[in-house]
């Protein structure tokens, strides 16, 4: 057993392994101060809810409280490892400022009340609006952080019982492009690859994905490959010098394109791969459509043309294309550097194209991971609590709608499907214009996370909008609410959720929620009962009543669909590893990779989506799709580069990107309340390059004003390895502050989204958080104090002498590498 400061060493110790071997296990453990392993009364099974990786763990319960966590060695995802957020984030559960009673607005103030009063107000307002203005006056904005049972229930209530089309998740901000890219190429959502592809790949290419900070345990897996025999090459496409970029410099190649030029770069890479004939023509002929158009399109993008667009040397593009073209087992991953940037879907689709033209899909080491970000974003999509129809059904296929209506025992006409589902950005527009009068927000904090916050605050503050916020804290958003509902969370309720590579984990209740807080599922079912929703036989709808009965109903609704859960049960998920869907009679142990036989979910009668025009976003009609892809192959879709809407100018000369740091999760409601994590990254900063800093006379630690046409913030300058001409601001810092007794009031001016624009990708409708023009000016000298940005991560300083990020004794975690776990060949 070894101890390590896991704030200073986020990835822990190496357990090297070679290509094709099994990833050795390493069990990480952290217990609260003073709690010894023998004090633990129970270990309760769950997985991490602070990212999409699905790190399996057990919660230690001592004295009726959560007292720590331990990784689960038997799980396929993490083999026992935990990252810093996993190790320390659980402490937020026991924060003294958890919501414990419902709140209602009285004379302008939020005051505590009982559940009957709070729910009574909700039911009264929803009921009268439904009667007077119909279902389109009611909207739901949910999350990627609840459990499948809860999303399924929400979908049934919203799309079924109420029949509104206005339901989406913050997954729109997160994985909408992952889903859209999969739908464009495979006509259905569903992650093709598997995490075990990391064990086999000889090239791992990461496109706009800072896996080292955002899925630390998956990066540990990659680091262990890099430390073992026959390490893979790493290709990294990111304008910042992230830990991934630094590894790529050593083990492969790092391309740092100008933000918003991903599509041009992808076209350039495909140009080279096709020109050098690194194409698996057999695969392309048998399993795809669209190759000729793709080849024709990318022929227009030789590296000499792409280089100046992206701000890259054409030789670098050639070199990267050669690595990708000569790979024998290529694993590609994509995340927000593509999804939240200009031409998001079109660029992400080119990554699918890359693997397809190389025939690298459905075999060990050959995978595509169109990543998720939030822990249960996958389930939001599957269950249909976003713009999707439950079970990856096709909203423009009447037979699919009818099938879902049969599961729910409702009239199919009750399920809205005549127009595309309303995406989140449009839901807020409808609130702004007044056609939506009731918005129920569950487990998301739009007052910090949506673009152009000055506008969002105005939308949320309107009198005519009845706002319900269901959260575990009085978030920035909750402060605008008419009714605040206190929710139970992870560790306090039971349900399942599914990670990036389709691994389903059961998360069991370990302790009671604080005060009167209730599981989100119970709140939603209570609402349905009070509204007296009924099915066609007059029985209460939804027909389920608790987590397990909701899971059974959800399973039934997935039968025969790509995300088939019918072979799973709570019992099966207890004790061992998580299991990958589809899991059914044919695949009782789950399914490691999709599309191993070159057959797709793309048949016109079966597919989830007919696709969209990637430039205009217009949905294709069934007839158009049938003509394009009658046999249900993979579709190679080409696109032309179009520059970002907002480009650097004389007044705003920088490209501004926003994103994450390793130690915080989103708006910090949880990580800001975990002392080790908060201390590692206590305050916002802005990154710029050494050359730009010198030019502007900026120094490490100077207080700067950053502004865009929407607004401004103040932040200390970190001179980092970011490319010239680009600024980076982490988006975690709203106006809530740890240590303060409560939120300090709007407008403290440090949230990245004061700066971002109301603009989105035409196909996925995902907002472009990584595409704005900005200026930066010094406000105050540093006086020799460095910015408080982490030194271990993408924000590593260029200047010597900045104090390193450490966690001290409070951040010591134990880890055990079993002797039998030596990376043996399989
Ligand atoms: N520590 C931590 N982990 C998390 C989360 C968290 O908040 N904190 N959140 C989770 C969630 S919900 C998500 S969605 C994921 C997100 O995970 P990531 O996508 O890995 O994180 P980001 O920091 O948003 O963006 C990744 C990278 O995109 C780069 N980038 C910006 N613009 C461009 C561009 O135009 N082109 C290219 N090629 N790259 C660009 C940025 O420099 C950044 O390093 O993380 C998940 N994991
Ligand atoms: N500028 C910029 N903006 C971004 C991004 C970016 O990269 N740049 N990334 C975008 C992305 S990818 C994402 S995913 C979003 C995330 O944005 P948000 O979803 O707004 O961020 P969170 O802080 O995760 O908010 C979750 C809320 O749910 C509450 N909560 C936690 N657990 C539970 C629970 O069990 N039940 C209930 N009812 N509530 C709970 C938390 O207290 C918190 O208030 O931000 C987006 N915004
Ligand atoms: Mo996300």
């Amino acid at each position: 057993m070894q101890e390590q400061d896991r704030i200073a060493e986020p990835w822990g110790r190496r357990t090297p392994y070679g290509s094709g071997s099994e990833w050795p296990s390493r069990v990480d453990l952290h217990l609260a101060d003073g709690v010894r392993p023998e004090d633990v009364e129970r270990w309760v099974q769950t997985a991490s809810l602070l990212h999409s990786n699905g790190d399996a763990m057990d919660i230690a319960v001592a004295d009726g409280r959560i007292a720590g966590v331990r990784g689960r060695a038997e799980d396929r995802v993490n083999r026992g490892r935990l990252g810093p957020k996993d190790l320390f984030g659980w402490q937020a559960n026991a924060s003294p400022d958890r919501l414990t009673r419902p709140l209602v607005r009285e004379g302008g103030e939020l005051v505590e009340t009982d559940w009957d009063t709070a729910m009574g107000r909700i039911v009264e307002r929803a009921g009268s609006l439904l009667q007077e203005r119909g279902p389109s006056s009611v909207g739901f904005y949910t999350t990627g952080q609840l459990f499948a049972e809860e999303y399924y229930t929400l979908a049934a209530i919203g799309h079924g019982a109420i029949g509104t089309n206005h339901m989406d998740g913050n997954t729109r901000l997160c994985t909408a492009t992952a889903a859209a890219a999969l739908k464009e190429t495979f006509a259905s959502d569903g992650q093709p690859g598997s995490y075990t592809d990391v064990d086999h790949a000889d090239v791992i290419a990461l496109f706009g994905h800072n896996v080292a900070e955002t899925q630390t345990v998956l990066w540990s897996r990659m680091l262990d490959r890099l430390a073992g025999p026959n390490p893979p090459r790493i290709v990294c496409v990111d304008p910042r010098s992230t830990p991934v970029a630094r590894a790529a410099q050593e083990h492969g190649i790092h391309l740092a394109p100008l933000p918003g030029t991903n599509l041009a770069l992808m076209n350039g890479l495909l140009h080279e791969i096709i020109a050098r004939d690194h194409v698996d023509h057999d695969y392309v002929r048998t399993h795809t459509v669209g190759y000729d158009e793709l080849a024709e399109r990318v022929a227009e993008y030789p590296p000499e043309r792409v280089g100046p667009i992206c701000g890259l040397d054409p030789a670098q593009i050639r070199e990267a294309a050669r690595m990708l073209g000569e790979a024998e087992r290529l694993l590609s991953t994509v995340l927000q550097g593509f999804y939240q940037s200009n031409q998001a879907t079109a660029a992400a689709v080119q990554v699918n194209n890359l693997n397809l033209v190389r025939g690298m899909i459905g075999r060990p080491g050959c995978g595509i991971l169109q990543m998720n970000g939030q822990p249960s974003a996958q389930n939001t999509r599957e269950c249909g609590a976003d713009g999707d129809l439950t079970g990856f059904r096709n909203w423009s296929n009447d037979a699919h709608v009818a099938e879902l209506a049969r599961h729910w025992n409702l009239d199919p006409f009750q399920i809205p499907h005549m127009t595309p589902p309303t995406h989140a950005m449009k839901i807020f527009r409808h609130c702004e214009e007044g056609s939506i009068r009731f918005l129920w927000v569950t487990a998301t904090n739009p007052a910090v996370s949506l673009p152009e916050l000055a506008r969002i605050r105005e939308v949320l503050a309107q009198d005519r909008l009845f706002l319900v916020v269901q959260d575990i804290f009085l978030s920035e958003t909750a402060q605008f609410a008419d009714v605040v509902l206190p929710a139970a969370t992870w560790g306090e309720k039971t349900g399942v959720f599914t990670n990036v590579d389709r691994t389903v984990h059961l998360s069991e209740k370990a302790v009671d929620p604080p005060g009167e807080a209730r599981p989100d599922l119970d709140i939603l079912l209570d609402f349905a009962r009070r509204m007296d929703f009924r099915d066609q036989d007059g029985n209460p709808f939804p027909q389920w009543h608790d987590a397990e009965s909701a899971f059974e109903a959800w399973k039934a609704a997935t039968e025969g669909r790509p995300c088939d859960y019918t072979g799973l049960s709570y019992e099966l998920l207890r004790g061992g590893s998580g299991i990958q869907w589809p899991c059914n009679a044919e695949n009782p142990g789950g399914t490691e990779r999709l599309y191993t036989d070159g057959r797709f979910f793309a048949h016109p009668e079966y597919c989830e989506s007919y696709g969209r025009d990637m430039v205009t976003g217009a949905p294709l009609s069934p007839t158009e799709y049938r003509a394009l892809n009658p046999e249900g192959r993979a579709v190679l879709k080409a696109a032309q580069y179009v520059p970002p809407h907002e480009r650097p100018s004389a007044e705003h000369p920088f490209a501004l990107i926003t994103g994450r740091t390793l130690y915080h999760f989103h708006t910090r409601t949880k990580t800001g309340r975990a002392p080790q994590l908060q201390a590692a990254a206590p305050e916002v900063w802005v990154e710029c390059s050494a050359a730009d800093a010198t030019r502007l006379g900026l120094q490490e630690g100077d207080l700067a004003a950053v502004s865009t046409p929407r607004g401004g913030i103040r932040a200390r300058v970190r001179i980092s390895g970011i490319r010239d001409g680009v600024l980076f601001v982490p988006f975690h810092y709203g106006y809530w502050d740890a240590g303060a007794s409560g939120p300090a009031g709007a407008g403290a001016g440090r949230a990245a989204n004061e700066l971002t624009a109301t603009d989105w990708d035409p196909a996925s409708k995902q907002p472009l958080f990584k595409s704005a023009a900005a200026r930066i000016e010094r406000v105050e000298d540093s006086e020799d104090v460095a910015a408080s940005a982490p030194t271990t991560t993408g924000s590593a300083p260029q200047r010597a002498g900045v104090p390193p990020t450490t966690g001290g004794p409070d951040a010591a975690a134990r880890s055990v590498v079993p002797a039998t776990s030596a990376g043996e060949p399989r």
Side-chain angles (χ1 to χ4, degrees), residues 85 210 213-214 238 240 260 262 335-337 341 373 660-662 664 666 770:
K85 285 192 275 100
N210 185 8
E213 298 194 47
T214 56
D238 194 311
R240 296 167 67 218
N262 295 320
L335 201 44
Q336 301 305 2
S341 194
R660 294 164 167 75
T661 189
L662 191 149
H664 279 304
H666 301 166
K770 296 177 169 44

PDB file of all heavy atoms in Angstrom, residues 85 210 213-214 238 240 260 262 335-337 341 373 660-662 664 666 770, ligand 1:
ATOM      1  N   LYS A  85     -11.334  14.092  -8.450  1.00  0.00           N
ATOM      2  CA  LYS A  85     -12.726  14.450  -8.148  1.00  0.00           C
ATOM      3  C   LYS A  85     -13.454  13.266  -7.513  1.00  0.00           C
ATOM      4  O   LYS A  85     -14.292  13.437  -6.639  1.00  0.00           O
ATOM      5  CB  LYS A  85     -13.452  14.917  -9.416  1.00  0.00           C
ATOM      6  CG  LYS A  85     -13.029  16.330  -9.837  1.00  0.00           C
ATOM      7  CD  LYS A  85     -13.939  16.915 -10.908  1.00  0.00           C
ATOM      8  CE  LYS A  85     -13.525  16.499 -12.303  1.00  0.00           C
ATOM      9  NZ  LYS A  85     -14.254  15.419 -12.916  1.00  0.00           N
ATOM     10  N   ASN A 210      -9.211  16.990 -23.917  1.00  0.00           N
ATOM     11  CA  ASN A 210      -8.176  17.055 -22.891  1.00  0.00           C
ATOM     12  C   ASN A 210      -8.426  15.963 -21.867  1.00  0.00           C
ATOM     13  O   ASN A 210      -8.730  16.219 -20.700  1.00  0.00           O
ATOM     14  CB  ASN A 210      -8.194  18.449 -22.252  1.00  0.00           C
ATOM     15  CG  ASN A 210      -7.058  18.630 -21.262  1.00  0.00           C
ATOM     16  OD1 ASN A 210      -6.170  17.791 -21.151  1.00  0.00           O
ATOM     17  ND2 ASN A 210      -7.104  19.733 -20.529  1.00  0.00           N
ATOM     18  N   GLU A 213      -7.362  15.807 -18.116  1.00  0.00           N
ATOM     19  CA  GLU A 213      -8.018  16.590 -17.065  1.00  0.00           C
ATOM     20  C   GLU A 213      -9.487  16.237 -16.913  1.00  0.00           C
ATOM     21  O   GLU A 213     -10.065  16.457 -15.851  1.00  0.00           O
ATOM     22  CB  GLU A 213      -7.876  18.086 -17.364  1.00  0.00           C
ATOM     23  CG  GLU A 213      -6.419  18.523 -17.382  1.00  0.00           C
ATOM     24  CD  GLU A 213      -6.249  20.030 -17.338  1.00  0.00           C
ATOM     25  OE1 GLU A 213      -6.892  20.676 -16.509  1.00  0.00           O
ATOM     26  OE2 GLU A 213      -5.457  20.542 -18.159  1.00  0.00           O
ATOM     27  N   THR A 214     -10.084  15.723 -17.982  1.00  0.00           N
ATOM     28  CA  THR A 214     -11.533  15.551 -17.929  1.00  0.00           C
ATOM     29  C   THR A 214     -11.967  14.100 -17.746  1.00  0.00           C
ATOM     30  O   THR A 214     -13.104  13.842 -17.394  1.00  0.00           O
ATOM     31  CB  THR A 214     -12.203  16.156 -19.173  1.00  0.00           C
ATOM     32  OG1 THR A 214     -11.640  15.571 -20.347  1.00  0.00           O
ATOM     33  CG2 THR A 214     -11.987  17.663 -19.217  1.00  0.00           C
ATOM     34  N   ASP A 238      -5.216  20.311 -30.356  1.00  0.00           N
ATOM     35  CA  ASP A 238      -5.687  21.219 -29.299  1.00  0.00           C
ATOM     36  C   ASP A 238      -4.824  22.472 -29.305  1.00  0.00           C
ATOM     37  O   ASP A 238      -3.597  22.378 -29.314  1.00  0.00           O
ATOM     38  CB  ASP A 238      -5.584  20.499 -27.938  1.00  0.00           C
ATOM     39  CG  ASP A 238      -6.354  21.219 -26.838  1.00  0.00           C
ATOM     40  OD1 ASP A 238      -6.195  22.452 -26.687  1.00  0.00           O
ATOM     41  OD2 ASP A 238      -7.103  20.542 -26.112  1.00  0.00           O
ATOM     42  N   ARG A 240      -4.152  24.341 -26.951  1.00  0.00           N
ATOM     43  CA  ARG A 240      -3.433  24.535 -25.686  1.00  0.00           C
ATOM     44  C   ARG A 240      -2.413  23.432 -25.477  1.00  0.00           C
ATOM     45  O   ARG A 240      -2.531  22.335 -26.005  1.00  0.00           O
ATOM     46  CB  ARG A 240      -4.402  24.526 -24.515  1.00  0.00           C
ATOM     47  CG  ARG A 240      -5.387  25.656 -24.556  1.00  0.00           C
ATOM     48  CD  ARG A 240      -6.510  25.417 -23.575  1.00  0.00           C
ATOM     49  NE  ARG A 240      -6.030  25.483 -22.217  1.00  0.00           N
ATOM     50  CZ  ARG A 240      -6.459  24.687 -21.235  1.00  0.00           C
ATOM     51  NH1 ARG A 240      -7.343  23.761 -21.462  1.00  0.00           N
ATOM     52  NH2 ARG A 240      -5.968  24.841 -20.026  1.00  0.00           N
ATOM     53  N   GLY A 260     -11.663  27.019 -34.049  1.00  0.00           N
ATOM     54  CA  GLY A 260     -12.693  27.165 -35.072  1.00  0.00           C
ATOM     55  C   GLY A 260     -12.290  26.695 -36.451  1.00  0.00           C
ATOM     56  O   GLY A 260     -13.046  26.864 -37.407  1.00  0.00           O
ATOM     57  N   ASN A 262     -11.270  23.414 -37.096  1.00  0.00           N
ATOM     58  CA  ASN A 262     -11.175  21.946 -37.078  1.00  0.00           C
ATOM     59  C   ASN A 262     -11.553  21.300 -38.406  1.00  0.00           C
ATOM     60  O   ASN A 262     -10.911  20.349 -38.847  1.00  0.00           O
ATOM     61  CB  ASN A 262     -12.087  21.379 -35.992  1.00  0.00           C
ATOM     62  CG  ASN A 262     -11.639  21.784 -34.603  1.00  0.00           C
ATOM     63  OD1 ASN A 262     -10.439  21.801 -34.316  1.00  0.00           O
ATOM     64  ND2 ASN A 262     -12.582  22.135 -33.745  1.00  0.00           N
ATOM     65  N   LEU A 335     -13.919  15.456 -28.383  1.00  0.00           N
ATOM     66  CA  LEU A 335     -14.756  16.099 -27.356  1.00  0.00           C
ATOM     67  C   LEU A 335     -14.858  17.604 -27.598  1.00  0.00           C
ATOM     68  O   LEU A 335     -14.790  18.050 -28.754  1.00  0.00           O
ATOM     69  CB  LEU A 335     -14.303  15.707 -25.935  1.00  0.00           C
ATOM     70  CG  LEU A 335     -15.337  15.882 -24.796  1.00  0.00           C
ATOM     71  CD1 LEU A 335     -16.726  15.408 -25.124  1.00  0.00           C
ATOM     72  CD2 LEU A 335     -14.880  15.189 -23.527  1.00  0.00           C
ATOM     73  N   GLN A 336     -14.982  18.383 -26.541  1.00  0.00           N
ATOM     74  CA  GLN A 336     -15.497  19.749 -26.689  1.00  0.00           C
ATOM     75  C   GLN A 336     -14.683  20.678 -27.595  1.00  0.00           C
ATOM     76  O   GLN A 336     -15.214  21.652 -28.104  1.00  0.00           O
ATOM     77  CB  GLN A 336     -15.689  20.419 -25.328  1.00  0.00           C
ATOM     78  CG  GLN A 336     -16.642  19.708 -24.373  1.00  0.00           C
ATOM     79  CD  GLN A 336     -18.020  19.443 -24.919  1.00  0.00           C
ATOM     80  OE1 GLN A 336     -18.308  19.751 -26.068  1.00  0.00           O
ATOM     81  NE2 GLN A 336     -18.873  18.841 -24.112  1.00  0.00           N
ATOM     82  N   GLY A 337     -13.398  20.410 -27.765  1.00  0.00           N
ATOM     83  CA  GLY A 337     -12.642  21.245 -28.694  1.00  0.00           C
ATOM     84  C   GLY A 337     -13.218  21.183 -30.101  1.00  0.00           C
ATOM     85  O   GLY A 337     -13.008  22.088 -30.925  1.00  0.00           O
ATOM     86  N   SER A 341     -17.106  24.035 -30.935  1.00  0.00           N
ATOM     87  CA  SER A 341     -16.389  24.946 -31.807  1.00  0.00           C
ATOM     88  C   SER A 341     -17.134  25.067 -33.133  1.00  0.00           C
ATOM     89  O   SER A 341     -18.080  24.319 -33.404  1.00  0.00           O
ATOM     90  CB  SER A 341     -14.968  24.417 -32.002  1.00  0.00           C
ATOM     91  OG  SER A 341     -14.156  25.413 -32.561  1.00  0.00           O
ATOM     92  N   GLY A 373     -19.557  13.911 -21.858  1.00  0.00           N
ATOM     93  CA  GLY A 373     -18.907  14.675 -20.810  1.00  0.00           C
ATOM     94  C   GLY A 373     -19.507  14.391 -19.459  1.00  0.00           C
ATOM     95  O   GLY A 373     -18.836  13.990 -18.521  1.00  0.00           O
ATOM     96  N   ARG A 660     -12.235  23.599 -19.182  1.00  0.00           N
ATOM     97  CA  ARG A 660     -12.181  23.018 -17.844  1.00  0.00           C
ATOM     98  C   ARG A 660     -10.794  22.940 -17.251  1.00  0.00           C
ATOM     99  O   ARG A 660      -9.811  22.919 -17.970  1.00  0.00           O
ATOM    100  CB  ARG A 660     -12.716  21.590 -17.937  1.00  0.00           C
ATOM    101  CG  ARG A 660     -14.141  21.591 -18.280  1.00  0.00           C
ATOM    102  CD  ARG A 660     -14.611  20.243 -18.760  1.00  0.00           C
ATOM    103  NE  ARG A 660     -16.061  20.308 -18.756  1.00  0.00           N
ATOM    104  CZ  ARG A 660     -16.751  20.973 -19.679  1.00  0.00           C
ATOM    105  NH1 ARG A 660     -16.131  21.550 -20.689  1.00  0.00           N
ATOM    106  NH2 ARG A 660     -18.050  21.057 -19.594  1.00  0.00           N
ATOM    107  N   THR A 661     -10.771  22.805 -15.941  1.00  0.00           N
ATOM    108  CA  THR A 661      -9.553  22.376 -15.272  1.00  0.00           C
ATOM    109  C   THR A 661      -9.834  21.071 -14.546  1.00  0.00           C
ATOM    110  O   THR A 661     -10.996  20.746 -14.256  1.00  0.00           O
ATOM    111  CB  THR A 661      -9.037  23.438 -14.288  1.00  0.00           C
ATOM    112  OG1 THR A 661      -7.737  23.036 -13.837  1.00  0.00           O
ATOM    113  CG2 THR A 661      -9.952  23.582 -13.080  1.00  0.00           C
ATOM    114  N   LEU A 662      -8.775  20.357 -14.292  1.00  0.00           N
ATOM    115  CA  LEU A 662      -8.874  19.018 -13.715  1.00  0.00           C
ATOM    116  C   LEU A 662      -9.644  18.991 -12.396  1.00  0.00           C
ATOM    117  O   LEU A 662     -10.383  18.043 -12.119  1.00  0.00           O
ATOM    118  CB  LEU A 662      -7.452  18.500 -13.519  1.00  0.00           C
ATOM    119  CG  LEU A 662      -7.231  17.038 -13.182  1.00  0.00           C
ATOM    120  CD1 LEU A 662      -5.918  16.563 -13.760  1.00  0.00           C
ATOM    121  CD2 LEU A 662      -7.258  16.791 -11.684  1.00  0.00           C
ATOM    122  N   HIS A 664     -11.994  20.989 -10.979  1.00  0.00           N
ATOM    123  CA  HIS A 664     -13.374  21.427 -10.778  1.00  0.00           C
ATOM    124  C   HIS A 664     -14.325  20.763 -11.750  1.00  0.00           C
ATOM    125  O   HIS A 664     -13.953  20.388 -12.856  1.00  0.00           O
ATOM    126  CB  HIS A 664     -13.492  22.946 -10.902  1.00  0.00           C
ATOM    127  CG  HIS A 664     -13.096  23.641  -9.637  1.00  0.00           C
ATOM    128  ND1 HIS A 664     -13.679  23.357  -8.431  1.00  0.00           N
ATOM    129  CD2 HIS A 664     -12.168  24.597  -9.390  1.00  0.00           C
ATOM    130  CE1 HIS A 664     -13.126  24.110  -7.492  1.00  0.00           C
ATOM    131  NE2 HIS A 664     -12.199  24.864  -8.046  1.00  0.00           N
ATOM    132  N   HIS A 666     -17.686  21.760 -13.581  1.00  0.00           N
ATOM    133  CA  HIS A 666     -18.691  22.745 -14.003  1.00  0.00           C
ATOM    134  C   HIS A 666     -18.763  23.952 -13.088  1.00  0.00           C
ATOM    135  O   HIS A 666     -17.778  24.620 -12.868  1.00  0.00           O
ATOM    136  CB  HIS A 666     -20.059  22.064 -14.112  1.00  0.00           C
ATOM    137  CG  HIS A 666     -20.030  20.946 -15.097  1.00  0.00           C
ATOM    138  ND1 HIS A 666     -20.995  20.012 -15.201  1.00  0.00           N
ATOM    139  CD2 HIS A 666     -19.107  20.618 -16.029  1.00  0.00           C
ATOM    140  CE1 HIS A 666     -20.690  19.162 -16.159  1.00  0.00           C
ATOM    141  NE2 HIS A 666     -19.556  19.507 -16.662  1.00  0.00           N
ATOM    142  N   LYS A 770     -16.597  27.760 -27.611  1.00  0.00           N
ATOM    143  CA  LYS A 770     -15.175  27.899 -27.906  1.00  0.00           C
ATOM    144  C   LYS A 770     -14.979  28.678 -29.194  1.00  0.00           C
ATOM    145  O   LYS A 770     -14.173  28.305 -30.036  1.00  0.00           O
ATOM    146  CB  LYS A 770     -14.525  26.507 -27.969  1.00  0.00           C
ATOM    147  CG  LYS A 770     -14.583  25.773 -26.621  1.00  0.00           C
ATOM    148  CD  LYS A 770     -14.021  24.385 -26.695  1.00  0.00           C
ATOM    149  CE  LYS A 770     -13.794  23.684 -25.374  1.00  0.00           C
ATOM    150  NZ  LYS A 770     -14.816  23.766 -24.355  1.00  0.00           N
TER     151      LYS A 770
HETATM  152  N1  LIG B   1     -12.137  18.029 -14.374  1.00  0.00           N
HETATM  153  C1  LIG B   1     -13.273  18.024 -15.066  1.00  0.00           C
HETATM  154  N2  LIG B   1     -13.601  16.953 -15.808  1.00  0.00           N
HETATM  155  C2  LIG B   1     -14.753  16.950 -16.509  1.00  0.00           C
HETATM  156  C3  LIG B   1     -15.663  18.033 -16.435  1.00  0.00           C
HETATM  157  C4  LIG B   1     -15.305  19.143 -15.622  1.00  0.00           C
HETATM  158  O1  LIG B   1     -16.043  20.136 -15.513  1.00  0.00           O
HETATM  159  N3  LIG B   1     -14.103  19.095 -14.967  1.00  0.00           N
HETATM  160  N4  LIG B   1     -16.801  18.028 -17.171  1.00  0.00           N
HETATM  161  C5  LIG B   1     -17.205  16.843 -17.885  1.00  0.00           C
HETATM  162  C6  LIG B   1     -17.979  17.269 -19.051  1.00  0.00           C
HETATM  163  S1  LIG B   1     -19.644  17.600 -18.838  1.00  0.00           S
HETATM  164  C7  LIG B   1     -17.429  17.398 -20.289  1.00  0.00           C
HETATM  165  S2  LIG B   1     -18.417  17.876 -21.585  1.00  0.00           S
HETATM  166  C8  LIG B   1     -16.058  16.992 -20.546  1.00  0.00           C
HETATM  167  C9  LIG B   1     -15.303  17.965 -21.465  1.00  0.00           C
HETATM  168  O2  LIG B   1     -14.020  17.513 -21.643  1.00  0.00           O
HETATM  169  P1  LIG B   1     -13.019  18.197 -22.684  1.00  0.00           P
HETATM  170  O3  LIG B   1     -13.661  18.394 -23.974  1.00  0.00           O
HETATM  171  O4  LIG B   1     -11.775  17.403 -22.664  1.00  0.00           O
HETATM  172  O5  LIG B   1     -12.761  19.612 -21.950  1.00  0.00           O
HETATM  173  P2  LIG B   1     -12.712  21.138 -22.410  1.00  0.00           P
HETATM  174  O6  LIG B   1     -11.749  21.788 -21.499  1.00  0.00           O
HETATM  175  O7  LIG B   1     -14.082  21.694 -22.463  1.00  0.00           O
HETATM  176  O8  LIG B   1     -12.175  21.190 -23.913  1.00  0.00           O
HETATM  177  C10 LIG B   1     -11.144  20.363 -24.384  1.00  0.00           C
HETATM  178  C11 LIG B   1     -10.091  21.109 -25.147  1.00  0.00           C
HETATM  179  O9  LIG B   1     -10.618  21.740 -26.295  1.00  0.00           O
HETATM  180  C12 LIG B   1      -9.650  22.667 -26.699  1.00  0.00           C
HETATM  181  N5  LIG B   1     -10.176  23.547 -27.761  1.00  0.00           N
HETATM  182  C13 LIG B   1     -10.816  24.714 -27.637  1.00  0.00           C
HETATM  183  N6  LIG B   1     -11.165  25.200 -28.842  1.00  0.00           N
HETATM  184  C14 LIG B   1     -10.739  24.330 -29.764  1.00  0.00           C
HETATM  185  C15 LIG B   1     -10.808  24.268 -31.204  1.00  0.00           C
HETATM  186  O10 LIG B   1     -11.360  25.136 -31.888  1.00  0.00           O
HETATM  187  N7  LIG B   1     -10.224  23.195 -31.789  1.00  0.00           N
HETATM  188  C16 LIG B   1      -9.618  22.211 -31.075  1.00  0.00           C
HETATM  189  N8  LIG B   1      -9.103  21.186 -31.739  1.00  0.00           N
HETATM  190  N9  LIG B   1      -9.548  22.240 -29.731  1.00  0.00           N
HETATM  191  C17 LIG B   1     -10.100  23.289 -29.088  1.00  0.00           C
HETATM  192  C18 LIG B   1      -9.291  23.353 -25.408  1.00  0.00           C
HETATM  193  O11 LIG B   1      -8.006  23.930 -25.491  1.00  0.00           O
HETATM  194  C19 LIG B   1      -9.397  22.225 -24.392  1.00  0.00           C
HETATM  195  O12 LIG B   1      -8.134  21.768 -23.941  1.00  0.00           O
HETATM  196  O13 LIG B   1     -15.339  16.868 -19.338  1.00  0.00           O
HETATM  197  C20 LIG B   1     -15.992  16.057 -18.363  1.00  0.00           C
HETATM  198  N10 LIG B   1     -15.023  15.891 -17.314  1.00  0.00           N
END
